[in-house]
Amino acid sequence: MFKAVRITILLFVLFFVSVSTWLTQARSTDWNSSLWIKIYPINADGSETSEKYIRGLKTSDFEGIESFVARETERYSRAVNKPVRLELGSPVNEQPPKMGAEPNVLSVMLWSMKMRWWASSITDAQDEIEPDVRIFVRYHKPDLNVKLENSVGLQKGMVGIVNGYASRRLRGVNNVIIAHEFLHTLGATDKYRPNDGQPIGPDGLAEPGRTPLYPQRFAEIMGGRIAESESSAYIPKNLKYAVIGPLTASEINLAR
């Protein structure tokens, strides 16, 4: 009897969590009201350069993300006054859980659960009201010879981890990556080759009908880069050179 009651309670909790997650995800892409994004900076390398940069951060450093989403929602005829509202949180002094060196389906699922729990618990002290989307930005001192870890955005839990550079000059590039991971939390998929980051046409190109096709002038945000040729591409310097393509717009319910 006790075992049956325990199983029933567990099933009820799982059902409640599933419904709550579905409702949150559905509301996040109805485009009827503003989505609240909160950014939490992290000193990823423990350097004084990163620490100084984080101390100087302001909410206005991320306004390019708000402008980008507002411009693109308007382009798709969505009448939302301010589709995203961005806030800068207090620095987080703990690193997020790491994914295993050779991830498989089970380990990725376990890591995702750990990440969502960590994101919620680490921000409890500063979030009386939970934001819609949490983005943790791990800042590293600017050394372009050092390859940063991949950034990631999770739709379940609506959490993003971004690896960026502690540099005013690269602020725009950081914002491109933040916007990319933010759209992952809404259900957008990658549109580039995993091995080299080259945008995959036509959906990963901002102007798939351009003649000649290359060089492209803009980046499709989930393609991630401006394609110069079939084998060469680069991250745009800011979000003025990025667009949301039709397939991405459909994935996040932006296209009518």
Side-chain angles (χ1 to χ4, degrees), residues 126-224:
Q126 59 173 298
D127 290 345
E128 291 184 9
I129 301 175
E130 293 186 2
D132 296 307
V133 182
R134 296 184 178 93
I135 303 288
F136 298 87
V137 184
R138 303 179 68 240
Y139 286 103
H140 305 70
K141 59 184 177 183
D143 183 353
L144 298 181
N145 294 317
V146 176
K147 182 175 174 58
L148 300 183
E149 295 178 35
N150 290 333
S151 299
V152 64
L154 301 175
Q155 186 176 14
K156 286 188 176 179
M158 302 187 75
V159 176
I161 303 293
V162 170
N163 287 287
Y165 290 110
S167 165
R168 304 292 295 179
R169 184 172 61 84
L170 296 172
R171 178 180 60 185
V173 172
N174 291 339
N175 284 348
V176 170
I177 301 171
I178 293 170
H180 177 99
E181 301 306 335
F182 160 63
L183 292 184
H184 269 316
T185 71
L186 302 187
T189 59
D190 283 326
K191 296 168 182 66
Y192 60 83
R193 295 195 302 244
N195 60 319
D196 61 3
Q198 185 71 17
I200 301 171
D203 298 313
L205 298 176
E207 302 172 296
R210 179 173 168 81
T211 304
L213 185 58
Y214 301 107
Q216 292 275 297
R217 297 176 297 174
F218 304 94
E220 200 287 328
I221 188 65
M222 301 310 294

Side-chain angles (χ1 to χ4, degrees), residues 45-255:
D45 57 11
S47 68
E48 178 56 32
T49 299
S50 297
E51 192 66 30
K52 182 178 179 181
Y53 183 80
I54 289 171
R55 287 197 299 266
L57 282 173
K58 304 182 294 294
T59 302
S60 59
D61 292 327
F62 306 95
E63 65 185 4
I65 300 168
E66 290 186 350
S67 300
F68 165 72
V69 179
R71 183 187 76 224
E72 293 302 292
T73 52
E74 182 179 356
R75 192 163 65 87
Y76 283 96
S77 301
R78 288 287 191 169
V80 187
N81 181 40
K82 195 170 186 178
V84 298
R85 178 168 57 91
L86 200 143
E87 180 181 339
L88 178 62
S90 301
V92 169
N93 297 317
E94 184 179 315
Q95 301 300 322
K98 280 185 172 291
M99 191 182 293
E102 297 181 4
N104 53 46
V105 174
L106 186 59
S107 66
V108 170
M109 288 176 61
L110 182 59
W111 171 82
S112 174
M113 292 173 62
K114 287 181 179 178
M115 178 63 69
R116 284 142 55 191
W117 179 86
W118 176 85
S120 178
S121 61
I122 201 68
T123 57
D124 273 348
Q126 59 173 298
D127 290 345
E128 291 184 9
I129 301 175
E130 293 186 2
D132 296 307
V133 182
R134 296 184 178 93
I135 303 288
F136 298 87
V137 184
R138 303 179 68 240
Y139 286 103
H140 305 70
K141 59 184 177 183
D143 183 353
L144 298 181
N145 294 317
V146 176
K147 182 175 174 58
L148 300 183
E149 295 178 35
N150 290 333
S151 299
V152 64
L154 301 175
Q155 186 176 14
K156 286 188 176 179
M158 302 187 75
V159 176
I161 303 293
V162 170
N163 287 287
Y165 290 110
S167 165
R168 304 292 295 179
R169 184 172 61 84
L170 296 172
R171 178 180 60 185
V173 172
N174 291 339
N175 284 348
V176 170
I177 301 171
I178 293 170
H180 177 99
E181 301 306 335
F182 160 63
L183 292 184
H184 269 316
T185 71
L186 302 187
T189 59
D190 283 326
K191 296 168 182 66
Y192 60 83
R193 295 195 302 244
N195 60 319
D196 61 3
Q198 185 71 17
I200 301 171
D203 298 313
L205 298 176
E207 302 172 296
R210 179 173 168 81
T211 304
L213 185 58
Y214 301 107
Q216 292 275 297
R217 297 176 297 174
F218 304 94
E220 200 287 328
I221 188 65
M222 301 310 294
R225 289 169 168 78
I226 299 175
E228 295 180 297
S229 67
E230 290 184 357
S231 58
S232 175
Y234 60 95
I235 298 175
K237 62 182 180 181
N238 59 54
L239 285 162
K240 293 178 181 178
Y241 298 93
V243 300
I244 293 176
L247 179 57
T248 298
S250 177
E251 290 171 338
I252 62 175
N253 200 35
L254 192 58

